[in-house]
Amino acid sequence: MRHRSLIAVTAALAAGALTLTACGSRDNKADTSGGGDVTVTIGVDAPLSGDLSALGLGIKNSVDLAVKTANEKKYVKGVTFKIEALDDQAQPSSGQQNATKLVADKNVLGVVGPLNSSVSESMQKVFDDAKLAQISPANTSPSLTQGPNWATGQKVRTYKSYFRTATTDAIQGPFAAQYLFNKGGKKKVFIIDDKKTYGAGLAATFKGEFTKLGGAVAGEGHIDPESKDFSAIVTQVKTSGADAVYYGGEYPAAGPLSKQIKAAGANIPLIGGDGIYDKKFVDLAGPAAAGDMATSVGAPVETLPSATEFIANYKKAGFKDPYAAYGGYSYDSAWAIIEAVKKTVDANDGKLPDGARAKVLEAVQGVSFDGVTGKVSFDEFGDATNKQLTVYKVDGPDFKAVESGTYPAK
């Protein structure tokens, strides 16, 4: 979404050898408390508390599962993986503090996260300066990989340490517009966003494609997502004659917004991006949410043969919280780090080398493997090469997949 996701690695040498501490005296020496193995820590940054914790906990648990799987398989000989999960509460300032903390620990060689694009903006330079690989399973703002002028065609990769397994809003917004106009039959839309990096950017890409198709914008406005009273903009929606509302933002505000629109007598669907794709949206919006829609990255994990083992192992692990919208992408993000560590170790006669962070980062750029969500690899900007998206519609107590595809359609 977003706005949405990073990894950390710790190293250890033979028992009794020099220990790599958080302040770190030697990059090539590490804790050997794991029975003689080098300990590689994968850092996780996500909202583990607060309104978006349903998504954040799914990210954390899925990375944890990847680490446990790698250890059980002894996937990287001589390496034991572990995670260090930090809570950013969906706040950029907290994310930056977490990034600084992870960088300060020389045992950390990569990070999975964060969820929110706005949080990632505060973290990217910190990680890039330290040559610490960051992979988000959820960030969708195009500027994170292609620079602030991406929409004009001036695509510049600002931070070579940043990658993502989720596709971007440059694709997601137009994909939603095409579905709503061509298949949903909606020709007049009221566009609302929360003024944050993810929401505003997504709304803008939706608008561009919707108007290009011949759709009309009945009105536009912004809301404060911290407020739960949206009566002012609801009145504008009701009098606009719109046959749908497009919302750029996340489910804590989108649910109440949808509920209030319907309560005001405007019986029209609300559609949004992956930021609203969670059962929490349906719970907040209530029964009137039937017919509301969301787009999200990739195909439904439950429909992918490649995800069968992930789903079974997640259930077997007994996590209290579901893997949610980004579970598969979080697992794949962590596995990309694991693959990079393996490539780095294999290229150095089976040992973690000096300057491991930079070498792991370099290896991430070239990883390519069959993951939970399909083929996982990164293009020259660090973006996912998997461009698939899905439209979901509220049907009963949850979202159900309606259609998967790519933009532009193949």
Side-chain angles (χ1 to χ4, degrees), residues 66-87:
V67 163
K68 289 176 178 176
T69 301
N71 289 339
E72 288 172 4
K73 292 182 176 181
K74 298 188 181 302
Y75 192 71
V76 183
K77 187 177 180 180
V79 171
T80 296
F81 292 93
K82 72 173 186 176
I83 74 168
E84 174 71 16
L86 302 179
D87 181 9

Side-chain angles (χ1 to χ4, degrees), residues 197-404:
T197 301
Y198 163 70
L202 182 60
T205 61
F206 170 86
K207 177 185 176 182
E209 182 71 11
F210 192 75
T211 53
K212 189 169 77 173
L213 291 168
V217 176
E220 296 181 76
H222 312 284
I223 61 169
D224 175 1
E226 298 302 318
S227 171
K228 299 307 179 194
D229 179 6
F230 306 124
S231 55
I233 201 154
V234 164
T235 299
Q236 294 178 47
V237 170
K238 184 180 178 182
T239 59
S240 70
D243 53 18
V245 170
Y246 188 83
Y247 177 65
E250 298 151 336
Y251 65 77
L257 176 62
S258 173
K259 187 174 186 177
Q260 290 173 42
I261 288 171
K262 272 75 163 182
N267 190 25
I268 57 176
L270 180 145
I271 182 170
D274 54 317
I276 77 167
Y277 174 54
D278 192 274
K279 189 180 183 302
K280 294 277 189 182
F281 168 83
V282 187
D283 295 341
L284 290 167
D292 284 353
M293 291 171 275
T295 54
S296 192
V297 296
V301 170
E302 296 76 15
T303 68
L304 298 173
S306 58
T308 302
E309 185 177 358
F310 164 74
I311 294 171
N313 288 343
Y314 194 95
K315 183 177 181 181
K316 182 180 178 182
F319 295 114
K320 187 178 78 169
D321 303 284
Y323 50 79
Y326 306 104
Y329 294 91
S330 302
Y331 187 100
D332 285 347
S333 295
W335 203 262
I337 298 290
I338 291 166
E339 288 284 357
V341 171
K342 186 177 189 302
K343 287 176 68 174
T344 302
V345 169
D346 289 350
N348 192 54
D349 298 324
K351 298 177 183 178
L352 201 67
D354 292 353
R357 277 186 178 171
K359 290 181 170 64
V360 169
L361 171 57
E362 183 180 353
V364 169
Q365 182 65 60
V367 298
S368 180
F369 60 95
D370 294 320
V372 171
T373 60
K375 189 73 173 180
V376 178
S377 60
F378 306 104
D379 66 15
E380 69 270 29
F381 297 103
D383 282 326
T385 55
N386 183 349
K387 308 296 185 185
Q388 193 168 37
L389 289 150
T390 299
V391 176
Y392 296 86
K393 183 177 288 188
V394 176
D395 183 357
D398 207 343
F399 283 101
K400 293 185 180 178
V402 175
E403 181 172 294
S404 293

Side-chain angles (χ1 to χ4, degrees), residues 131-196:
K131 292 183 170 54
L132 180 57
Q134 169 190 3
I135 308 181
S136 173
N139 293 165
T140 55
S141 173
S143 63
L144 293 173
T145 48
Q146 299 178 18
N149 299 317
W150 67 270
T152 66
Q154 299 177 39
K155 298 179 180 180
V156 178
R157 185 175 185 181
T158 309
Y159 300 108
K160 292 187 177 180
S161 63
Y162 179 85
F163 304 83
R164 56 175 142 210
T165 51
T167 194
T168 76
D169 295 333
I171 297 170
Q172 184 175 195
F175 179 75
Q178 287 200 345
Y179 180 85
L180 201 63
F181 186 88
N182 294 327
K183 301 197 174 175
K186 305 302 181 184
K187 310 300 181 185
K188 193 176 182 182
V189 174
F190 197 105
I191 300 174
I192 304 170
D193 69 65
D194 61 4
K195 295 194 285 188
K196 295 199 290 186

